[in-house]
């Protein structure tokens, strides 16, 4: 399980909109949603976790000049999927999933994403995994986002880290990692004003 991630130097500045020497994020078991405005560093954090988790081997700590990555003692299978970069609708190839790639061209972007999240979150061998999803809510209609919410709620993975934008997921009871302080409160307030009109 991923416990904390501390970014320093340029990485800390990249996720903090300015000169910050250090930024630490704490993650919990279960579903953790990374929330913040576009460009706030959600995808950057997930990419850092992926690249350094893959290199940690049997060590509990991976350190470089710009980060400290602390995990639990148990080793976990980490699975990352970026719904923008890896979507089969935009890829020339997707490994052994050529049939799915061809089928996806006959579906909308949202329909393809729904199938991908279902496959990723409901697979049988997910129990011991850390699942990292970058913006799985993109291109989904309300029913699709609600289905994603239910899938996350019932996911049996040890830990899920997911960057999201949709208010249903941002304001959910999942553990929220705010990259912009007060982001959820502002969204709740703005939605409240909008719904009163």
């Amino acid at each position: 399980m991923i416990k904390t991630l501390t970014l320093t130097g340029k990485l800390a500045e990249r996720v903090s909109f300015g000169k910050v020497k250090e930024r630490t994020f704490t993650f919990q078991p279960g579903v953790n949603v990374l929330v913040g405005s576009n460009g706030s560093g959600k995808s950057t954090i997930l990419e850092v976790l992926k690249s350094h988790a893959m290199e940690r081997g049997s060590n509990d700590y991976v350190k470089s000049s710009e980060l400290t990555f602390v995990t639990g003692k148990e080793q976990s299978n980490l699975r990352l999927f970026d719904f923008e970069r890896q979507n089969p609708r935009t890829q020339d190839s997707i490994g052994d999933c050529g049939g799915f790639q061809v089928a996806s061209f006959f579906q909308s972007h949202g329909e393809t994403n729904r199938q991908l999240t279902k496959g990723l979150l409901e697979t049988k061998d997910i129990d011991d995994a850390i699942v990292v999803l970058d913006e799985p809510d993109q291109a989904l209609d309300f029913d699709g986002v609600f289905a994603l919410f239910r899938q996350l709620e019932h996911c049996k993975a040890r830990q899920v880290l997911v960057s999201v934008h949709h208010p249903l997921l941002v304001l959910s009871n999942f553990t929220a990692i705010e990259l912009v302080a007060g982001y959820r409160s502002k969204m709740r307030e703005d939605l409240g004003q909008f719904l009163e009109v």
Side-chain angles (χ1 to χ4, degrees):
M1 188 182 83
I2 299 167
K3 293 184 177 179
T4 63
L5 175 70
T6 299
L7 304 178
T8 60
K10 291 181 182 178
L11 283 174
E13 290 178 14
R14 189 169 170 185
V15 299
S16 301
F17 297 118
K19 301 257 179 210
V20 174
K21 291 183 179 178
E22 186 174 286
R23 184 105 189 254
T24 298
F25 302 93
T26 303
F27 303 96
Q28 302 299 323
V31 179
N32 297 258
V33 293
L34 281 74
V35 299
S37 52
N38 290 335
S40 61
K42 298 181 298 297
S43 297
T44 298
I45 288 173
L46 298 184
E47 283 298 319
V48 166
L49 290 174
K50 175 192 173 188
S51 62
H52 289 276
M54 296 299 194
E55 296 171 8
R56 80 178 189 272
S58 61
N59 297 323
D60 285 343
Y61 299 88
V62 172
K63 296 180 182 179
S64 77
S65 60
E66 294 196 354
L67 70 90
T68 304
F69 179 68
V70 184
T71 70
K73 292 188 185 228
E74 68 281 348
Q75 296 301 303
S76 295
N77 175 16
L78 186 136
R79 301 176 188 183
L80 180 132
F81 196 88
D82 181 330
F83 283 78
E84 183 177 6
R85 294 185 187 136
Q86 293 176 267
N87 192 296
R89 289 177 58 80
T90 60
Q91 294 294 307
D92 291 331
S93 64
I94 189 165
D96 297 330
C97 300
F100 182 67
Q101 180 194 0
V102 171
S104 73
F105 283 106
F106 297 97
Q107 299 174 339
S108 72
H109 190 175
E111 288 171 312
T112 303
N113 281 357
R114 280 183 85 157
Q115 279 192 287
L116 287 168
T117 54
K118 184 173 176 59
L120 290 163
L121 294 173
E122 296 179 7
T123 183
K124 292 179 182 176
D125 62 345
I126 204 171
D127 293 18
D128 196 41
I130 296 172
V131 178
V132 179
L133 304 176
D134 195 0
E135 298 185 17
D137 53 339
Q138 68 172 255
L140 295 182
D141 59 17
F142 182 82
D143 291 338
V145 174
F146 191 72
L148 172 60
F149 171 78
R150 288 292 186 215
Q151 289 166 341
L152 289 168
E153 199 174 41
H154 295 101
C155 183
K156 298 190 183 320
R158 177 180 298 160
Q159 190 176 47
V160 180
L161 310 177
V162 55
S163 68
V164 296
H165 287 287
H166 195 280
L168 178 62
L169 299 169
V170 172
L171 300 176
S172 69
N173 289 329
F174 298 134
T175 299
I177 313 296
E178 283 190 318
L179 275 73
V180 176
Y183 185 80
R184 293 173 81 216
S185 297
K186 183 179 182 325
M187 180 180 282
R188 191 175 284 113
E189 182 181 317
D190 290 349
L191 280 173
Q193 291 176 3
F194 176 77
L195 293 172
E196 287 176 5
V197 174

